[in-house]
Amino acid sequence: MKYPLSLTVNDENYDILVEPYHTLMEAIRDGIGLTGTKCACEDGRCGTCTVMVDGQLVKSCLMLGLQANGKSVLTIEGMGSPDDLHPLQAAFLEHGAVQCGYCTPGMLLTAKQLLDENPNPTEDDIRSAFVGNLCRCGVYTHATEAVLSVAGEENR
Amino acid sequence: MAVVGTSTKRIDGIEKVTGTAEFTTDIVLPRMIHAKLKRSPYAHAKILGIDTSKAEQMPGVRAVITAADLPDVRLGVLTLDEHLLAHDKTRLVGEPVAAVAADTPEIARAACEQIEVEYEELAPLFDPEEAIKLDPPVVLHEEYEEYEKLLEIAEMDERPPNLWQAYRIRHGDIDDAFKKAEDEGGYIIENRYATGYVHTACMEPHGAVAQWSSDGSLTLWAGGQSPYIARDGLAKALDLSPSKVRVIVPFVGGAFGGKLTVKEGAIAASLAHKAGRPVKIILTRAEDLAATAARTPFIFDIKDAVTKDGILIGRKVTSILWGGGYSGEGILKPIFSTHLYPGSYRLAALWVDSYGVYTNRVSGGALRGYGCAESAWAVETQMDIIARKCDIDAVELRINNLLTEGERTAITMPAHAFSAHECLTKCADAIEWETPSESLESPWYRGKGIALGNKYSFAPTASSTELKVHEDASCELRTSAVDLGQGAYTILTQIVADEFGIEIDQVKLVTPDTAITPFDHVAGSSRQTFHTGNATRMACDDAKRQIRELAASKLEADPDDLEVSGGRISVKGSSKSIEVEDLFVVEMLAGKRPAVDEIIGKATWEVTASPHDPNTGQGEEPMAYMGHGAQAAEVEVNVETGQVRIRRFVSAIDVGKAMNPQGVEMQNYGGGCMGIGIALHEDMCFDANGEMTNASLMDYKIPSIVEMPLNEYMESIIVEVPHQHGPYGAKGAGEIVVVPTSPAIGNAIYDAIGVRIWDQPLTPEKVVKAWKEKQASGNGSGS
């Protein structure tokens, strides 16, 4: 039996019905139709489904949809748009941190959370932040460069 | 301004960073339902019966299929040995035996559990050295002789019943080489190497969406490496004419060799036909890791004859590819792995026997480097051992053995655009090869290693493209080349922009769709920059020829005296010119139309090859081109825990011409990253029943950022030795970047702690064991 779920995603309110066993990732992708949030591992390791819930980083395959009732979610679609890229989105492109692009949304949200909390991260801080994001194309070196380019001047 | 050779930003980047790029997993169609597979729990069993009645009666279930619902055809790449759904036997754990389509994935999964399959368990066979016997304990394919085969294998007095590939190289006098080494104070160096089970583990799992039209034609969306291989495979599996099948390739979340065929897609199509609804199938991560083709292990027995001065004069290799239940995409690996035995070196005598055998495990597939990355592990470790034995520096020893431009390798490949020396020396300089690693405090040790590699790109092969010119002088390239993340779409766009002297954003790429885009062989074997790049240039030439001919009368000039650039057609050496737009006329209600015909350039670039004789490995020119690269690593080894950290990594590859230098750097770092995982920790594990025990990304460990060196210790070097047939001189970059990685790391571990580990991956357990054995014997093992 489906239950009602009310939540805000990228500043828009949604009232949808979800099964109690549906994850937040499924609610976002299948219930709301925002498919920028990806699924790759189903067990929280890879970070492709990373979103922000009330300002905190969440792997949306590890949270039930109903647990997000009343909460505010930010997905990749809310981070920037093709006409108005977030500086991190532009930096990922500029620095070659995008290959197949499947892990990119999750990495970008992880990077955003890092800079929200620590505008001047060191390379070590960035490596610690990206520990939960797997990328099979191996963009790690370029992703680190991209985040550093957006971060404070002193750590470049 | 020329854009070829510049780091143009990827043309699909905006979609990828904003989450708007649509992958197969994202596709939703009206009335779409979801498929799940019922898989075999046994590695080897007879199927006595399948009862689907309970599943069919479940609410929400729309279709259930077994082999009985499918055409009775065997599929495969070159040996057709596999049914879409297990027919009478299953030969690996996880082989699909039935499939369900239902309103939700959950219902489909529950229905699979209600399908009752009666099995008769058979003894499984896992050991390749048992499998290759003339009298093996178990035979997997009793009907092998009846199978259709598209490739001749080496002649044998009697074929071992589990063998599906045999290939020989007979070059020079091998006995004489060993005798010479013995008689003249040289060395004979003989070792056994093995590689492990590695999975492509693409971030996007395998999947497809299938939809039928009322005219009996099928459309399939699948993120694969070749829409045409997929189309023809679907047609064969479902007994359709290929013209009834349309394959569309959305964005692809990585492939690396793992998405050459679309078996799941054919199953989804069959379910969609039965249900009369579109069907989506997306494999779970566990299914993806455990039951789709993997890079299965090789065993290499290698014996080298070397003069006392360190010149390689003879090499004898016996190798077995530990294939799985079906030959699959691994079918050519026992052949392609032999390319590295001569590699870049001069070798007077080479004698190879290379085999592939069936075992009851996951089928052998393709993975970046296709056999070459595996044999490089053996060959380039041997070179390090030889150098130490002869007391010659490992770089110098390699240089002393290198071919020179214009020679042929022992497998008759012409050494053209031969850049091994440059890759090797630039790589050595970058890692400060002459300076030994600093000593660290116990239990940490530091050391450096280097290795050379090659990747041949296969032939025969072909790519076709079409180039349409619009009235606003923008160009539309229609190609079935696939961007798997490697940047093919961007490079092809750069080529069109340069050929027409227009801006990048005036080029539109029509991505793979067999209803629209012409044939391209495959996004594999590092071939698209080379082949599709050539086809694209040629299609541009063809379109420009048409434009010149159309413009000639307007400009009252000979077509040969005209040039097309930046949307203008000009008479050379004169100020007379017209716009491309002037070749179109105004049509009432329809805007503009071509004055004569549509301007569509067409071209096919084809490379033929003389097939190698499977009994001698000799031919004319067996491959399209030969790529070169060298990599070096500095490692830190903890002898108490066995941990190996890559401190520093250098990748120097020859791409002929860097079409997009940042793209090459992305391959250097990305390939290095994958190579580090393969060398150190990626390892599919199986229990005694043949079931994978670590089928999750939690337990199957692909590299994360912490396995990578700090940015200041990563170096990408681009070598550009133009190839005579490459577009602008370019060669591919996608695979060579994983070929030397493992031996470079293994050699660095030896430099650090003086032990050899012969079988990949070089896990902490193996490092500690080898170190303890060395301590116990007071000696290094191996060298």
Side-chain angles (χ1 to χ4, degrees):
Chain A
M1 189 190 136
K2 288 188 175 179
Y3 291 79
L5 167 63
S6 293
L7 75 174
T8 305
V9 181
N10 306 331
D11 294 330
E12 285 192 44
N13 298 322
Y14 292 90
D15 292 296
I16 59 171
L17 292 172
V18 297
E19 296 285 357
Y21 49 79
H22 276 157
T23 62
L24 177 59
M25 182 266 293
E26 289 167 306
I28 292 168
R29 285 177 55 84
D30 306 331
I32 295 174
L34 289 172
T35 55
T37 303
K38 302 299 179 197
C39 173
C41 75
E42 306 140 24
D43 61 12
R45 174 64 190 96
C46 78
T48 58
C49 68
T50 302
V51 298
M52 285 167 91
V53 178
D54 287 346
Q56 291 299 306
L57 222 48
V58 165
K59 290 180 172 177
S60 61
C61 74
L62 294 184
M63 183 173 184
L64 290 170
L66 292 173
Q67 289 178 299
N69 197 46
K71 295 189 188 299
S72 175
V73 177
L74 178 75
T75 71
I76 187 66
E77 290 91 344
M79 193 167 157
S81 67
D83 297 329
D84 183 22
L85 294 180
H86 185 280
L88 278 166
Q89 291 172 315
F92 264 52
L93 263 182
E94 182 72 34
H95 290 268
V98 181
Q99 291 194 31
C100 84
Y102 202 78
C103 75
T104 309
M107 290 195 86
L108 279 166
L109 283 155
T110 301
K112 182 179 185 306
Q113 165 89 2
L114 171 70
L115 294 188
D116 286 353
E117 288 181 355
N118 175 6
N120 297 306
T122 62
E123 184 176 350
D124 272 345
D125 295 335
I126 297 168
R127 287 165 71 93
S128 297
F130 278 140
V131 150
N133 293 83
L134 294 177
C135 168
R136 191 50 156 166
C137 303
V139 302
Y140 303 125
T141 310
H142 286 113
T144 307
E145 276 177 17
V147 178
L148 280 172
S149 77
V150 176
E153 194 71 42
E154 58 266 41
N155 287 315
R156 276 184 209 176
Chain B
M1 202 188 90
V3 287
V4 165
T6 67
S7 293
T8 304
K9 274 186 263 181
R10 54 183 320 133
I11 63 154
D12 50 5
I14 299 267
E15 286 156 288
K16 288 178 175 177
V17 298
T18 54
T20 51
E22 188 174 66
F23 295 81
T24 305
T25 45
D26 303 329
I27 292 172
V28 176
L29 299 177
R31 286 171 49 78
M32 184 178 87
I33 53 176
H34 301 270
K36 290 285 171 190
L37 302 175
K38 172 84 175 177
R39 295 178 179 276
S40 166
Y42 300 112
H44 200 191
K46 265 189 199 163
I47 297 173
L48 303 177
I50 306 177
D51 183 354
T52 59
S53 55
K54 278 189 200 159
E56 280 164 11
Q57 285 156 19
M58 286 174 65
V61 169
R62 305 293 169 183
V64 181
I65 60 166
T66 67
D69 295 280
L70 295 165
D72 184 10
V73 287
R74 289 194 183 88
L75 309 167
V77 176
L78 291 167
T79 293
L80 310 191
D81 56 7
E82 181 172 14
H83 285 93
L84 209 47
L85 292 172
H87 206 249
D88 42 7
K89 228 177 133 172
T90 106
R91 296 179 177 88
L92 58 123
V93 173
E95 181 167 356
V97 294
V100 176
D103 291 352
T104 68
E106 291 80 17
I107 296 171
R109 189 182 302 124
C112 282
E113 283 166 23
Q114 295 301 315
I115 296 173
E116 289 166 10
V117 185
E118 191 185 347
Y119 294 100
E120 178 190 326
E121 247 189 287
L122 301 170
L125 178 62
F126 301 128
D127 181 345
E129 292 182 282
E130 289 291 315
I132 203 168
K133 286 179 177 168
L134 279 170
D135 183 22
V138 172
V139 175
L140 271 75
H141 291 262
E142 297 88 342
E143 296 168 358
Y144 177 87
E145 296 299 338
E146 293 162 29
Y147 294 170
E148 188 183 350
K149 299 168 197 82
L150 309 174
L151 181 79
E152 194 187 335
I153 68 171
E155 289 163 19
M156 310 187 85
D157 293 338
E158 189 184 346
R159 185 187 64 86
N162 289 312
L163 181 133
W164 48 259
Q165 182 60 273
Y167 186 76
R168 295 194 191 102
I169 296 173
R170 298 290 182 262
H171 171 83
D173 189 335
I174 192 72
D175 295 331
D176 186 57
F178 288 116
K179 188 169 182 305
K180 200 172 164 194
E182 266 178 6
D183 293 352
E184 297 177 14
Y187 306 98
I188 292 174
I189 297 171
E190 191 172 4
N191 290 302
R192 166 170 277 212
Y193 300 85
T195 56
Y197 269 99
V198 183
H199 202 279
T200 52
C202 308
M203 297 315 293
E204 183 188 30
H206 288 73
V209 179
Q211 183 177 39
W212 293 82
S213 302
S214 51
D215 66 353
S217 64
L218 167 69
T219 302
L220 189 96
W221 290 260
Q225 292 171 244
S226 169
Y228 279 89
I229 291 175
R231 183 195 69 154
D232 294 354
L234 285 162
K236 188 167 176 67
L238 304 173
D239 195 20
L240 288 167
S241 163
S243 68
K244 288 274 187 194
V245 183
R246 175 181 185 183
V247 175
I248 299 171
V249 183
F251 279 99
V252 186
F256 311 108
K259 294 177 179 169
L260 287 164
T261 54
V262 288
K263 288 173 202 157
E264 310 78 25
I267 295 170
S270 180
L271 285 166
H273 193 264
K274 193 165 182 179
R277 307 253 305 248
V279 170
K280 181 178 196 173
I281 184 165
I282 302 293
L283 299 194
T284 64
R285 179 55 58 184
E287 288 179 292
D288 196 84
L289 283 170
T292 65
R295 184 182 115 169
T296 57
F298 267 101
I299 296 169
F300 301 104
D301 286 303
I302 182 162
K303 182 176 172 184
D304 287 339
V306 186
T307 68
K308 63 180 187 308
D309 306 320
I311 300 300
L312 197 58
I313 53 173
R315 169 167 286 166
K316 193 171 181 178
V317 186
T318 304
S319 74
I320 307 175
L321 173 63
W322 189 336
Y326 303 94
S327 57
E329 300 89 44
I331 186 81
L332 290 167
K333 265 193 181 178
I335 302 176
F336 285 21
S337 58
T338 67
H339 298 158
L340 263 284
Y341 299 141
S344 300
Y345 305 116
R346 187 178 297 113
L347 203 51
L350 176 64
W351 184 282
V352 178
D353 293 276
S354 183
Y355 304 107
V357 294
Y358 293 116
T359 62
N360 290 112
R361 279 199 188 161
V362 62
S363 294
L367 190 149
R368 208 177 196 177
Y370 199 76
C372 297
E374 291 97 309
S375 49
W377 165 239
V379 167
E380 286 296 302
T381 309
Q382 279 286 101
M383 294 308 279
D384 199 64
I385 292 170
I386 293 168
R388 289 173 187 275
K389 194 100 181 170
C390 299
D391 199 21
I392 298 173
D393 173 78
V395 171
E396 191 186 330
L397 176 111
R398 285 178 171 85
I399 290 172
N400 293 345
N401 280 285
L402 286 180
L403 291 157
T404 54
E405 179 80 21
E407 281 186 81
R408 277 179 185 261
T409 73
I411 56 168
T412 63
M413 184 72 187
H416 169 64
F418 193 78
S419 51
H421 185 278
E422 190 177 340
C423 292
L424 192 57
T425 50
K426 285 190 167 165
C427 190
D429 288 347
I431 203 140
E432 299 170 279
W433 184 253
E434 303 289 338
T435 312
S437 290
E438 277 175 41
S439 298
L440 301 178
E441 276 184 32
S442 180
W444 287 95
Y445 293 81
R446 220 179 243 180
K448 293 178 189 176
I450 197 163
L452 199 54
N454 308 102
K455 181 64 182 63
Y456 286 30
S457 188
F458 71 69
T461 189
S463 291
S464 299
T465 57
E466 291 177 8
L467 191 286
K468 175 171 170 171
V469 180
H470 290 269
E471 63 266 37
D472 60 358
S474 68
C475 291
E476 174 186 312
L477 180 71
R478 299 170 184 165
T479 176
S480 295
V482 187
D483 199 318
L484 312 165
Q486 84 284 47
Y489 294 161
T490 304
I491 285 172
L492 297 175
T493 301
Q494 288 175 269
I495 291 174
V496 175
D498 263 17
E499 294 296 316
F500 276 87
I502 55 178
E503 300 295 323
I504 283 283
D505 60 9
Q506 289 176 281
V507 183
K508 176 176 166 53
L509 208 73
V510 179
T511 56
D513 176 345
T514 58
I516 302 166
T517 56
F519 178 84
D520 197 288
H521 199 151
V522 60
S525 206
S526 309
R527 60 176 294 290
Q528 288 185 154
T529 296
F530 193 91
H531 299 290
T532 317
N534 271 315
T536 300
R537 280 191 99 176
M538 291 161 67
C540 289
D541 282 345
D542 187 40
K544 285 195 287 188
R545 177 190 58 74
Q546 294 172 33
I547 290 173
R548 286 197 305 269
E549 283 171 6
L550 288 168
S553 60
K554 284 184 185 278
L555 285 164
E556 295 172 331
D558 189 274
D560 292 341
D561 293 333
L562 302 181
E563 57 189 4
V564 183
S565 183
R568 293 194 77 77
I569 307 119
S570 326
V571 182
K572 286 180 205 163
S574 132
S575 58
K576 274 170 71 180
S577 70
I578 55 170
E579 304 272 340
V580 165
E581 194 176 2
D582 298 330
L583 302 175
F584 293 76
V585 295
V586 176
E587 178 68 89
M588 194 165 35
L589 303 181
K592 289 198 166 185
R593 66 168 173 85
V596 186
D597 286 325
E598 293 264 11
I599 303 168
I600 300 179
K602 291 184 186 179
T604 295
W605 166 266
E606 183 184 11
V607 175
T608 54
S610 68
H612 267 174
D613 180 342
N615 298 300
T616 64
Q618 306 293 295
E620 277 301 310
E621 182 158 349
M623 292 279 149
Y625 71 86
M626 177 182 188
H628 297 276
Q631 290 178 334
E634 183 170 37
V635 301
E636 293 176 347
V637 185
N638 181 323
V639 294
E640 286 175 3
T641 64
Q643 186 188 354
V644 177
R645 291 196 298 233
I646 310 296
R647 176 173 183 267
R648 199 163 165 188
F649 182 78
V650 181
S651 182
I653 60 163
D654 172 28
V655 293
K657 159 83 181 172
M659 307 292 279
N660 186 317
Q662 187 185 56
V664 180
E665 191 176 279
M666 286 153 83
Q667 290 300 316
N668 262 334
Y669 291 168
C673 177
M674 183 178 266
I676 287 168
I678 292 170
L680 294 180
H681 46 80
E682 291 189 36
D683 195 12
M684 296 168 69
C685 302
F686 298 86
D687 66 16
N689 298 316
E691 182 170 2
M692 187 178 173
T693 55
N694 57 340
S696 74
L697 289 181
M698 202 71 88
D699 296 324
Y700 178 79
K701 298 188 81 64
I702 68 173
S704 73
I705 197 165
V706 296
E707 276 81 32
M708 297 299 286
L710 293 168
N711 281 17
E712 65 179 298
Y713 296 119
M714 289 291 287
E715 189 159 352
S716 159
I717 296 170
I718 300 174
V719 173
E720 294 180 294
V721 178
H723 190 282
Q724 59 182 342
H725 300 309
Y728 312 88
K731 295 177 262 193
E735 292 177 287
I736 182 69
V737 287
V738 293
V739 175
T741 326
S742 288
I745 291 171
N747 294 339
I749 292 173
Y750 186 88
D751 188 51
I753 62 169
V755 302
R756 294 272 173 210
I757 299 158
W758 309 96
D759 55 326
Q760 286 180 351
L762 315 177
T763 58
E765 293 85 346
K766 292 179 193 171
V767 170
V768 168
K769 183 166 177 277
W771 172 256
K772 282 185 178 164
E773 283 169 4
K774 182 195 166 195
Q775 297 306 103
S777 70
N779 209 330
S781 67
S783 300

